[in-house]
Amino acid sequence: MTVPPPSLSPELIARFAAIVGPNQALTAPADLAPYIAEDRARFPGRSPLVLRPGSTEEVAAICRLASAERIALVPQGGNTGLVGGQTPLNGEVVVSLKRMDRLRELDLASNTMTVEAGMILQHAQEHAAAADRLFPLSLGAQGSCTIGGNLSTNAGGTAALAYGLARDMALGLEVVLADGRVLNGLSKLKKDNTGYDLRDLFIGAEGTLGIITAATLKLFPKPRAVATAFVGLRSPQHALTLLQLARDAAASELTSFELIAEIAVRFSVAIGNRDPLSGRHPWYVLLEVSSPRSDARDTLEAILTAALEQEVIDDAVIAESLSQRAAFWKLREEISPSQKPEGGSIKHDVSVPVAAVPAFIEQANDAVTRLIPGARPVPFGHLGDGNIHYNVSQPVGADAAAFLARWHEVNAVVFAIVQQLGGSISAEHGIGVLKRDELPMVKDKVAMALMRSIKATLDPLGIMNPGKVL
């Protein structure tokens, strides 16, 4: 069941405002604007009210009132999502968790920290570093995305190869349910076989089942040495061979392995970044080895030497300073914004089995360019875990609006290849509204039925982020 768009009377707005305080209940258009728009401008939103609670108790009170009055809510973290999951598309009330950004506990004996959902990811990393620990989740948006949003979308990022996704970094959650009840699950335990793992229901649910208000996160030993290389090679298949060499030599100390097509490097260079290699190559890899000892560079040099001797790679450079390492990563992280000057870009966040990545890229490139002659595929991403951001830039000189109008046509051919190879249409960005209509076509029918049953049980009135995912 989905509730109709809410009609908020002044009296009801006042009741919500009384929960959070008048200064934290926003109604003026200028104050609402940052919460109802997102960077890609694909999902124009509207809302009569943004609430900024400062505690779990206030979130619970908001949900109790919303449930009683059947008012739809959209939970929101840093508003950096890419699939429209955080946007109030039909006039829902936005519940922004940004004020809930406290570090509740740091437990070095358990190697955990408990933080509130509104904490910015970069601040969580800094809290861990100050305690000589590592919180390894790392994303391009880490300066503005929040822990609650990361967990709600099960974010991946560049360190997933070694540490897993956001789900793998959370031991426990505190969640406010649609009716205002609070699930107190902030466990530090690695072993707890006491029935269903309710935590995993909410991680990746995109706020459709409840509002995550806090999480207990795993911490890891801080690396004592990090070595980073930028490599030029001939094909994704060569990159796959390099990945195997690197895994054999570095094992779990191989923490990042990013595959980048030449066109993506050219786009990033065009907005001011520098190609670390003197010559041009059809493909590139950015890889990193992190060690608790001081031998990360020795390990990386051994990997590259073996790869050169076996003619797996054609050129490579190792970062000689922190600033050079930062420049390597800046080139990678600015691939997405570098596509904007090139016109319209149709995005895909997909995954296939690692061994199938070369076949996926070859088949997708062929299918997309046959569908739209002159289209420019821009594949890049996390080869180590099979996650490819398969973006397609418009033909040079084409009309951007006409190109973007074919978004779902391009999706269809790309997703068909993903399915054929046993992959997923969403690796780390979620479903939101962007992929909602495609989900039933690719998801197991029993799985879809179970998802709908869970939604109906936890949110029988349909007030939690309606119209997203399902």
Side-chain angles (χ1 to χ4, degrees):
M1 178 189 300
T2 300
V3 297
S7 176
L8 293 184
S9 66
E11 184 270 337
L12 190 51
I13 290 176
R15 290 172 66 190
F16 276 117
I19 295 171
V20 297
N23 294 334
Q24 305 303 335
L26 311 180
T27 57
D31 294 333
L32 295 171
Y35 299 89
I36 62 176
E38 40 79 38
D39 282 346
R40 290 184 179 175
R42 279 190 53 81
F43 307 103
R46 59 187 179 91
S47 175
L49 178 64
V50 171
L51 299 172
R52 290 167 43 90
S55 68
T56 301
E57 292 73 23
E58 290 182 0
V59 176
I62 289 168
C63 289
R64 284 194 295 271
L65 179 55
S67 182
E69 300 293 336
R70 297 202 171 196
I71 300 299
L73 304 175
V74 174
Q76 190 180 97
N79 194 18
T80 61
L82 300 174
V83 294
Q86 79 282 15
T87 307
L89 300 176
N90 297 297
E92 301 93 339
V93 171
V94 174
V95 181
S96 170
L97 281 293
K98 283 185 176 180
R99 289 181 61 221
M100 294 183 58
D101 62 353
R102 289 177 287 272
L103 173 66
R104 291 191 184 176
E105 184 187 37
L106 188 63
D107 183 347
L108 298 184
S110 296
N111 267 330
T112 64
M113 64 178 177
T114 300
V115 306
E116 292 184 334
M119 180 175 285
I120 291 172
L121 172 56
Q122 185 173 321
H123 295 169
Q125 296 167 345
E126 290 167 354
H127 282 301
D132 198 34
R133 295 291 190 273
L134 173 71
F135 181 62
L137 187 63
S138 181
L139 315 172
Q142 63 193 30
S144 51
C145 65
T146 64
I147 293 297
N150 298 151
L151 292 168
S152 292
T153 58
N154 192 26
T158 57
L161 169 63
Y163 298 101
L165 307 182
R167 182 188 308 279
D168 302 301
M169 301 179 201
L171 285 170
L173 298 180
E174 177 185 85
V175 184
V176 176
L177 303 181
D179 59 9
R181 288 179 296 163
V182 179
L183 174 65
N184 294 299
L186 290 174
S187 172
K188 302 176 188 177
L189 302 177
K190 291 186 177 179
K191 293 182 176 180
D192 181 5
N193 289 323
T194 53
Y196 303 144
D197 189 347
L198 300 177
R199 172 200 61 178
D200 277 355
L201 278 178
F202 300 97
I203 298 176
E206 302 183 48
T208 61
L209 301 179
I211 301 178
I212 296 173
T213 50
T216 299
L217 306 173
K218 297 179 187 177
L219 300 179
F220 297 83
K222 191 176 180 181
R224 301 304 172 199
V226 177
T228 310
F230 205 81
V231 177
L233 32 66
R234 280 157 281 169
S235 70
Q237 190 62 52
H238 285 85
L240 202 57
T241 304
L242 175 62
L243 173 63
Q244 190 57 56
L245 287 173
R247 278 177 161 162
D248 289 345
S252 62
E253 293 179 5
L254 178 65
T255 46
S256 295
F257 197 98
E258 301 289 296
L259 177 67
I260 310 171
E262 181 187 15
I263 188 173
V265 170
R266 294 305 122 215
F267 284 0
S268 193
V269 167
I271 63 169
N273 293 304
R274 190 178 71 84
D275 186 340
L277 301 178
S278 57
R280 294 175 66 160
H281 301 270
W283 290 88
Y284 297 81
V285 164
L286 173 59
L287 73 155
E288 197 158 81
V289 173
S290 305
S291 174
R293 303 173 302 279
S294 59
D295 59 351
R297 186 182 178 100
D298 293 342
T299 302
L300 185 55
E301 286 180 349
I303 293 167
L304 298 178
T305 298
L308 283 166
E309 289 175 350
Q310 297 177 37
E311 299 184 346
V312 174
I313 66 176
D314 299 318
D315 197 7
V317 60
I318 298 176
E320 298 292 343
S321 64
L322 289 176
S323 61
Q324 191 175 18
R325 174 180 179 259
F328 288 4
W329 278 107
K330 185 170 179 286
L331 183 150
R332 160 63 181 89
E333 289 164 357
E334 293 190 350
I335 290 172
S336 288
S338 75
Q339 291 168 80
K340 289 184 179 179
E342 300 295 327
S345 178
I346 296 175
K347 315 286 188 180
H348 303 87
D349 161 50
V350 300
S351 62
V352 296
V354 173
V357 168
F360 164 71
I361 292 174
E362 180 181 2
Q363 292 176 34
N365 285 356
D366 179 64
V368 165
T369 53
R370 278 191 286 109
L371 180 68
I372 305 178
R376 295 171 292 167
V378 187
F380 63 97
H382 322 303
L383 178 61
D385 53 43
N387 175 195
I388 299 299
H389 300 295
Y390 188 81
N391 298 346
V392 183
S393 285
Q394 69 176 60
V396 174
D399 178 75
F403 175 73
L404 292 174
R406 304 187 71 179
W407 190 293
H408 290 290
E409 282 184 76
V410 176
N411 283 171
V413 298
V414 172
F415 291 165
I417 296 166
V418 169
Q419 277 192 280
Q420 180 187 348
L421 295 173
S424 168
I425 67 169
S426 180
E428 61 181 3
H429 292 166
I431 297 297
V433 112
L434 180 65
K435 301 179 183 180
R436 179 193 62 199
D437 295 339
E438 282 86 0
L439 185 62
M441 293 183 267
V442 299
K443 192 81 171 174
D444 176 77
K445 288 181 172 53
V446 173
M448 287 297 300
L450 287 172
M451 287 169 62
R452 292 191 177 100
S453 295
I454 292 167
K455 171 71 171 173
T457 298
L458 292 176
D459 181 24
L461 300 178
I463 67 169
M464 298 302 301
N465 214 4
K468 314 294 173 53
V469 183
L470 297 174

